[in-house]
Amino acid sequence: MKITKVDVGLVEAPLITPFKTALRTVYNIRNIVVTIYTDNGFIGIGEAAPTHVITGESLQSIRYAIEEVIAPLIIGIEIDEIALLSERIDKCMYQNTSAKAAVEIALYDLWAKKYDAPLYKLLGGYRSKITTDITISVNDEEEMVKDSLEAIKRGFSILKVKVGKNPHSDVNSILAIRNAVGPDVVLRVDANQGWTPKEAVKIIGQLEDRGADMELVEQPVHYSDISGMQYVTNQTYTNILADESVFSPKQAIEVIEKRAADLINIKLMKTGGISKAQQINAIAEANGVECMIGCMLETKISVSAAAHFAAANKNVTMVDLDGPSLCVKDPIEGGPLFEGENIQMSDASGIGFLIEAFIAK
C-alpha cells in the first residue's frame, strides 16, 4: 500500500454566529483539505486550519508547504512505515504545524483503513464515547448570557467562555453566565493570552471569591511568558490550562517541570499531527498531568481525527471539539456521530469517512 499522489483542495462552512476571542473574529471556516491516494485504491483525508495569530499559517502557506515540500517526501513510501512518514513530515521544515497535521491525519486514516479498523482502536481504544464543551464567544455581557442559555438548550452542559479583552467586563460576564446557567453547568474560561500575570491573578481571585466555580482557566497570559504562567498557577486555586504555550513535547516538559500549568491542551494543528500529540500526552500522563484535546476552527475532518485521539487515550479527560457544532451545516458526512455534547465513535475504518463524496478538486 504505497502512496502515489497527494491532492490539495478547500473546504468551507459558514458559522452560526461569529467566533470571537481576544485574538480574532471569524465568520466562516475556510480550510485546506488533503487527500492522499495509494496504489491499491485507498484514499486518506486530512485538514489544516489556517490560524494566523496562533500557528502563523495562511491558506497559501499551507498549500505551498504540502505541495512543494511535504508531498515529494512521502510519495512512494508504504503506509505501514507510519513512523518513518511522521519523521519525514516533522523534519522537512520548521513549524508549519497545521500543514504537517493535515498530511499526517490523512496518513493515519490510511493506516487504519489498511487494517480495516477505526483509528481510535488502533491508537488505544480506551472508550467509544466522549463529551465536548461548546465555545461562548467574547461579546457584551447580555449576548454572552443569551448564547450560553442557547447552548444549554442545544444539549451542552460544559461551556468554554472566551474572555481576555477587558478585565472588568470579563469578571462581570463570567459571573452573569454562572448566575444564568446555575451551579450544575461546567464553566471553562479561556483568556487566549489576553491578561497580564497580575491581571490574571486578580481576575481569577475575584471570580473564586464571588462563586464563579470555574473548572479551569486557559492560557491567561502570553504564550511565551512561562514565568508569568508559573506565577498565575502558583497564586490561584483554579486549575490553569496551557494552550498556546505548548506546541511540542519539549515545551510540554518545560511547562510541567516549572509547574507553569496544571493541565495541557493538545491540538493537532499545534502539534503537527497525531504522533506528536501522542508524545505530549504520554509525557503529561507520566507526570500526573491530565490533558484536554482541543481544536481550531475546523470541520468534521480534522475534528474527527482529534476525537479518535481522545477516545483512544485515558489521560485525555477534557474535550473541546466543538468545530462542527459551530457551523450552520458541516459540509462533511460520515465519521463519528456528533449529537449535542456527545461524540460517538463509529466502527467504520480509519477516521470513518466516505472519501469519494468530497475528494479535493
Side-chain angles (χ1 to χ4, degrees):
M1 190 172 177
K2 290 184 179 181
I3 299 165
T4 57
K5 186 173 69 167
V6 179
D7 276 349
V8 178
L10 286 175
V11 61
E12 300 182 74
L15 298 173
I16 296 172
T17 59
F19 181 85
K20 298 180 181 180
T21 74
L23 296 173
R24 60 179 180 149
T25 298
V26 181
Y27 298 91
N28 298 283
I29 291 178
R30 194 162 185 253
N31 292 348
I32 291 290
V33 176
V34 177
T35 43
I36 299 180
Y37 299 80
T38 60
D39 58 1
N40 65 348
F42 281 79
I43 303 171
I45 188 165
E47 177 187 2
T51 313
H52 310 69
V53 292
I54 297 175
T55 67
E57 294 166 284
S58 66
L59 286 171
Q60 294 79 9
S61 72
I62 291 170
R63 180 182 286 274
Y64 181 89
I66 294 170
E67 292 181 338
E68 301 298 328
V69 182
I70 300 174
L73 295 175
I74 64 173
I75 290 175
I77 298 179
E78 291 278 353
I79 285 298
D80 266 344
E81 298 180 78
I82 192 72
L84 172 63
L85 288 163
S86 295
E87 181 183 41
R88 287 197 170 192
I89 294 168
D90 179 49
K91 291 184 175 180
C92 72
M93 62 195 313
Y94 179 68
Q95 299 291 8
N96 290 275
T97 52
S98 297
K100 293 175 180 178
V103 177
E104 206 190 68
I105 288 168
L107 292 173
Y108 270 86
D109 186 26
L110 284 167
W111 177 62
K113 283 176 177 174
K114 177 172 182 178
Y115 293 98
D116 193 24
L119 179 58
Y120 81 95
K121 290 188 176 180
L122 295 184
L123 293 177
Y126 181 70
R127 63 202 146 204
S128 61
K129 186 177 180 180
I130 54 179
T131 302
T132 182
D133 60 26
I134 190 168
T135 299
I136 305 301
S137 288
V138 58
N139 282 298
D140 63 69
E141 179 183 317
E142 183 178 347
E143 188 167 357
M144 292 179 75
V145 168
K146 180 174 73 71
D147 289 345
S148 298
L149 293 172
E150 181 61 32
I152 292 169
K153 287 181 183 177
R154 292 178 61 193
F156 291 89
S157 62
I158 310 171
L159 306 181
K160 185 174 184 180
V161 183
K162 296 288 189 179
V163 292
K165 283 194 170 183
N166 183 298
H168 179 70
S169 298
D170 290 341
V171 172
N172 290 339
S173 294
I174 294 165
L175 290 172
I177 290 170
R178 170 55 76 200
N179 183 60
V181 302
D184 297 330
V185 172
V186 175
L187 292 188
R188 297 169 177 167
V189 174
D190 185 3
N192 283 113
Q193 312 174 62
W195 301 326
T196 68
K198 287 187 177 180
E199 282 177 340
V201 170
K202 181 179 179 180
I203 292 166
I204 295 169
Q206 288 177 342
L207 289 167
E208 289 172 342
D209 292 342
R210 297 173 67 179
D213 189 23
M214 304 166 292
E215 181 184 49
L216 58 86
V217 173
E218 182 173 351
Q219 198 64 46
V221 304
H222 194 267
Y223 76 91
S224 65
D225 189 1
I226 300 303
S227 62
M229 286 284 285
Q230 185 182 43
Y231 173 75
V232 177
T233 301
N234 290 337
Q235 296 296 318
T236 57
Y237 293 103
T238 303
N239 282 332
I240 302 301
L241 173 70
D243 180 9
E244 291 93 340
S245 290
V246 178
F247 273 58
S248 68
K250 183 178 180 180
Q251 290 172 322
I253 292 170
E254 180 184 14
V255 164
I256 291 169
E257 286 183 340
K258 293 183 177 179
R259 199 175 177 272
D262 301 292
L263 309 161
I264 291 175
N265 190 355
I266 297 171
K267 294 177 180 175
L268 301 186
M269 297 299 119
K270 292 189 305 172
T271 64
I274 292 169
S275 60
K276 283 290 191 296
Q278 293 279 68
Q279 291 177 33
I280 291 171
N281 184 59
I283 291 165
E285 187 170 18
N287 285 276
V289 174
E290 295 178 3
C291 290
M292 171 186 282
I293 181 67
C295 63
M296 305 298 192
L297 279 176
E298 305 164 32
T299 72
K300 204 176 180 185
I301 299 171
S302 53
V303 171
S304 293
H308 278 271
F309 169 79
N313 289 286
K314 178 182 179 181
N315 194 56
V316 179
T317 59
M318 299 156 287
V319 177
D320 176 32
L321 298 179
D322 60 352
S325 300
L326 300 176
C327 298
V328 173
K329 180 182 179 183
D330 195 296
I332 310 305
E333 297 180 1
L337 180 63
F338 288 72
E339 286 190 330
E341 67 179 9
N342 297 311
I343 304 175
Q344 177 68 52
M345 310 310 293
S346 76
D347 290 327
S349 63
I351 297 172
F353 297 109
L354 295 173
I355 309 301
E356 292 74 11
F358 50 92
I359 288 178
K361 301 296 183 182

